[in-house]
């Protein structure tokens, strides 16, 4: 079944292309920076967000690519903050667990 011209445009607008990086990178970076609050780390998270989207050949059928990328950025930023907190606690000699569940010996 052939797609008509309008359906092709809709499908293409749902797929992340390298040209859209210039459009979507600033707001996604802003969201990451609001969570991470450190420029070098925010830059690395932004890189991982777009690499993940390009490598997985992401398409965004239900939402705009921008909103989907912001959701991915929030998830990756939150995971990065948790990992950094664990790393800092380990380096300071404190005891911390990656899970919230308490285990009995």
């Amino acid at each position: 079944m052939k797609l008509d011209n309008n359906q092709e445009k809709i499908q293409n607008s749902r797929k992340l292309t390298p040209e859209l990086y210039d459009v979507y990178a600033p707001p996604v970076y802003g969201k990451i920076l609001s969570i991470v609050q450190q420029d070098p780390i925010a830059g690395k998270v932004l890189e991982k967000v777009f690499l993940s989207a390009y490598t997985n050949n992401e398409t965004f059928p239900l939402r705009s690519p921008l909103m989907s990328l912001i959701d991915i950025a929030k998830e990756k930023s939150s995971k990065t903050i948790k990992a950094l907190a664990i790393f800092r606690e380990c380096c300071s000699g404190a005891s911390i667990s990656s899970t919230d569940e308490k285990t009995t010996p």
Side-chain angles (χ1 to χ4, degrees):
M1 177 176 168
K2 280 196 149 190
L3 297 175
D4 66 12
N5 209 11
N6 193 26
Q7 287 175 328
E8 285 179 20
K9 285 180 186 176
I10 290 172
Q11 271 191 331
N12 288 338
S13 69
R14 302 277 185 218
K15 187 171 171 85
L16 189 61
T17 61
E19 294 80 26
L20 294 177
Y21 176 84
D22 293 335
V23 176
Y24 294 139
V28 173
Y29 180 76
K31 184 61 179 177
I32 294 168
L33 194 58
S34 73
I35 297 170
V36 176
Q37 299 180 353
Q38 293 180 5
D39 287 330
I41 297 171
K44 290 291 183 184
V45 173
L46 178 71
E47 183 180 302
K48 291 198 178 286
V49 167
F50 277 93
L51 279 174
S52 170
Y54 289 135
T55 344
N56 295 335
N57 202 16
E58 291 278 349
T59 56
F60 308 103
L62 301 176
R63 298 173 58 191
S64 75
L66 176 61
M67 294 309 296
S68 297
L69 286 169
I70 286 178
D71 284 346
I72 294 169
K74 285 171 41 179
E75 178 186 338
K76 288 194 180 293
S77 297
S78 296
K79 286 181 179 180
T80 300
I81 291 296
K82 287 178 186 174
L84 287 171
I86 291 170
F87 180 73
R88 285 185 190 114
E89 291 294 325
C90 289
C91 289
S92 70
S95 173
I96 189 167
S97 173
S98 63
T99 61
D100 292 331
E101 298 176 3
K102 293 183 179 180
T103 58
T104 57

